[in-house]
Amino acid sequence: AGFTLPDGRQLFAGKYNLGEARSIISLRYDSIRQRLYAIGRNQEILVINPQTGAVITSIPANFPQTVEVTPKYLYVTCDSGLVYKYDAATLKLLKRIPVHKSLSYCYGSVMSWDYKYLVIQVADKIVTLDTKTDKVLYERFDHEYENGIMSISRDNKILATGGFDSKVNIYNLTNGKLISSIYTPRGKDFMLVNA
């Protein structure tokens, strides 16, 4: 369902066939083109009108996980260590970018505010892509278990990742250098460890 903010008026409600049990894995709103991208458990991304809920079209992808939006491109994390790059206006697939040599899912992502860096989660690692060259800048072991969430500071200098190992890692975004780790054990005080 879609709602207006801040009054909460409902714009639409509907069901979308996105594979297994009609489940939705992730949603991404594109404020540049006023589109909503919905990913389920099949081999496509639905493009939805956020005002009406009508499906505009769909984009094929190999088990897509997340969508990141830039003024010119869409980046979609997929299976087999790949990121798909689409023309944002035409939705044409431009290239498949290999970011990891394993067959693991690229399951999470975050785009820097200046659109220069795309950080991708692959198993227990993070991989950072330079979006100008579509080349991998660095790959780092991140958490003992899969990451849970990532965020980039507004000044595009700091990357923070949170994992299921009760730890937050703080990195220099441009070179991947670990600055510090914050241990967050349940029921205990946080502990900061500088790299």
Side-chain angles (χ1 to χ4, degrees):
F3 302 88
T4 60
L5 293 175
D7 64 352
R9 182 176 51 86
Q10 184 172 313
L11 294 169
F12 70 88
K15 291 185 177 181
Y16 302 92
N17 187 359
L18 286 161
E20 199 177 291
R22 294 191 175 105
S23 58
I24 293 177
I25 295 173
S26 67
L27 293 170
R28 175 67 70 189
Y29 178 64
D30 180 349
S31 62
I32 300 166
R33 286 158 290 275
Q34 288 75 51
R35 296 177 185 156
L36 182 65
Y37 304 104
I39 295 176
R41 298 195 180 278
N42 57 8
Q43 308 259 354
E44 67 179 346
I45 302 161
L46 291 184
V47 183
I48 298 170
N49 180 321
Q51 296 292 320
T52 66
V55 174
I56 300 166
T57 189
S58 65
I59 309 169
N62 188 23
F63 295 103
Q65 300 295 306
T66 60
V67 176
E68 296 298 337
V69 176
T70 76
K72 292 184 179 179
Y73 307 109
L74 302 177
Y75 291 88
V76 177
T77 59
C78 292
D79 193 10
S80 303
L82 296 172
V83 172
Y84 287 20
K85 181 178 181 178
Y86 297 86
D87 181 288
T90 66
L91 302 177
K92 178 183 177 187
L93 177 62
L94 300 175
K95 63 167 83 168
R96 292 175 180 87
I97 306 167
V99 296
H100 200 263
K101 293 178 180 170
S102 73
L103 297 178
S104 298
Y105 282 102
C106 294
Y107 64 89
S109 62
V110 65
M111 179 68 70
S112 63
W113 294 90
D114 59 5
Y115 307 115
K116 291 182 180 178
Y117 304 101
L118 174 65
V119 184
I120 303 120
Q121 296 168 320
V122 185
D124 56 4
K125 297 175 178 57
I126 53 170
V127 177
T128 298
L129 191 71
D130 179 335
T131 59
K132 186 174 182 180
T133 63
D134 291 335
K135 302 287 184 198
V136 171
L137 289 174
Y138 58 83
E139 175 185 313
R140 297 285 180 267
F141 171 80
D142 193 30
H143 291 276
E144 295 295 331
Y145 307 100
E146 292 182 347
N147 309 17
I149 194 163
M150 298 188 296
S151 185
I152 293 175
S153 62
R154 279 298 277 201
D155 64 3
N156 302 297
K157 293 181 179 179
I158 303 294
L159 167 69
T161 68
F164 294 110
D165 54 2
S166 298
K167 183 170 64 170
V168 176
N169 289 327
I170 309 294
Y171 297 96
N172 178 308
L173 175 62
T174 57
N175 63 23
K177 182 180 181 209
L178 180 66
I179 297 168
S180 63
S181 294
I182 304 167
Y183 290 84
T184 60
R186 181 178 292 191
K188 298 182 180 178
D189 290 338
F190 291 179
M191 184 172 68
L192 177 66
V193 178
N194 291 324

